[in-house]
Amino acid sequence: MPAPPRPVFVLGCPRSGTTLLQLMLHTHPRIALPPETRFVLPAYERRLGFGDLRERSNRAGLAQWITGREETRFHELRLDAGRVAERITEGPPTLGSALGITFSAYAEEHGKVRWGDKRPAYALHVGEMLRLFPDAQFIHLVRDGRDCAASLLGMPWWHRGFHEAVATWAQVMDTTRTYARKLGPDSWHELRFEDLVTDPESQLRGVCAYLGEEYVPEMREPCRVAELAVPARKTWHRRTRGALDSSQAANWTTRLTPNQITLCDEVLGDRLTSYGYGLAGAVRPDPAELLRYRRVEMLRRAAYAKRRMLDRLVRVRERGPVAWQLAG
């Protein structure tokens, strides 16, 4: 019996173009990537609260938690909640299986045989995703950190300022680089947003070769499925409903202030050049400004280390495996 297709997860820094790549993949006749949900990582973090999933009643509770709550955004998948809940309840007794059943149902609804998901936050949770889906394939979309920061500052949901935006990109780059080395080319693929929008066919052929799928020209027209796979409330994704727009590359030169550009040169320089992005050649930033950034960066990394430590403690109390299993 052939192995089932491996799940596909798209990740990256927020505002790096992951929604665009999600849509491109969703146009493929075999691959389904749904609108961004909010149940995978929250379910993993509170997994002990669902109890022993070998108990049918606990699986039923988990199913209701996924399908019956506004916070999970399950409703944006436009699936029959009762049917999905029943499949989870009668399915294998692991958290990964419950989540995989949900995504599989979405793929089936769209006549696809392969499922996946997109969420920028997965970039800082690759270890957890591997526990849930050990055979996953990851696609990391990289965008110039200055463009990501500039774009974040214009988002209605971003309230943490410029330093936090820059530190977010730096942390994502450092974390994903570790997993790129660890997983290798069979499970990790990287591409740049700038290359994707200027030469989509070449980049998408590379993605398909990595996934073991045939390239189809329709992937260059993500607007075909934007109305279906991007909720209307996400007005900041309005460009996905039109033709590919390469003008969004390197617009940090006009969107960031000279002082912000100077700070980026200083704190992101090596990372930027390692991905082929040129520096502005700015002078060194004000020491007080640099200190404020370092404080934000330190707090982010401390929080990340604490989260990983707590996760290790929770693993000791798990009741059985968490990895997805095929329904038998």
Side-chain angles (χ1 to χ4, degrees), residues 62-100:
L62 170 59
Q64 178 60 29
W65 185 91
I66 293 173
T67 65
R69 301 170 62 250
E70 185 80 16
E71 296 87 344
T72 65
R73 298 183 183 170
F74 173 87
H75 62 281
E76 292 186 346
L77 303 183
R78 303 176 186 178
L79 298 174
D80 185 316
R83 188 174 302 170
V84 173
E86 181 180 3
R87 288 178 60 175
I88 293 172
T89 302
E90 303 303 329
T94 72
L95 177 59
S97 299
L99 301 171

Side-chain angles (χ1 to χ4, degrees), residues 51-182:
D52 189 340
L53 294 181
R54 289 171 293 188
E55 299 289 335
R56 185 180 183 279
S57 60
N58 289 336
R59 295 198 300 278
L62 170 59
Q64 178 60 29
W65 185 91
I66 293 173
T67 65
R69 301 170 62 250
E70 185 80 16
E71 296 87 344
T72 65
R73 298 183 183 170
F74 173 87
H75 62 281
E76 292 186 346
L77 303 183
R78 303 176 186 178
L79 298 174
D80 185 316
R83 188 174 302 170
V84 173
E86 181 180 3
R87 288 178 60 175
I88 293 172
T89 302
E90 303 303 329
T94 72
L95 177 59
S97 299
L99 301 171
I101 284 170
T102 307
F103 291 124
S104 180
Y106 182 83
E108 293 168 9
E109 183 73 14
H110 292 271
K112 312 289 186 74
V113 298
R114 192 167 185 179
W115 56 267
D117 193 24
K118 182 277 295 187
R119 191 179 175 193
Y122 294 155
L124 297 180
H125 295 271
V126 177
E128 294 94 317
M129 298 301 291
L130 283 168
R131 294 201 71 216
L132 293 167
F133 310 104
D135 63 340
Q137 287 188 287
F138 297 94
I139 304 175
H140 177 210
L141 186 59
V142 178
R143 186 183 184 188
D144 189 316
R146 295 160 294 190
D147 278 329
C148 286
S151 185
L152 280 170
L153 294 179
M155 293 298 103
W157 41 265
W158 183 263
H159 308 292
R160 291 179 282 175
F162 173 70
H163 292 158
E164 188 81 23
V166 174
T168 297
W169 188 84
Q171 187 178 24
V172 166
M173 293 303 107
D174 293 346
T175 303
T176 52
R177 183 166 294 180
T178 297
Y179 280 103
R181 290 193 296 263
K182 178 179 179 181

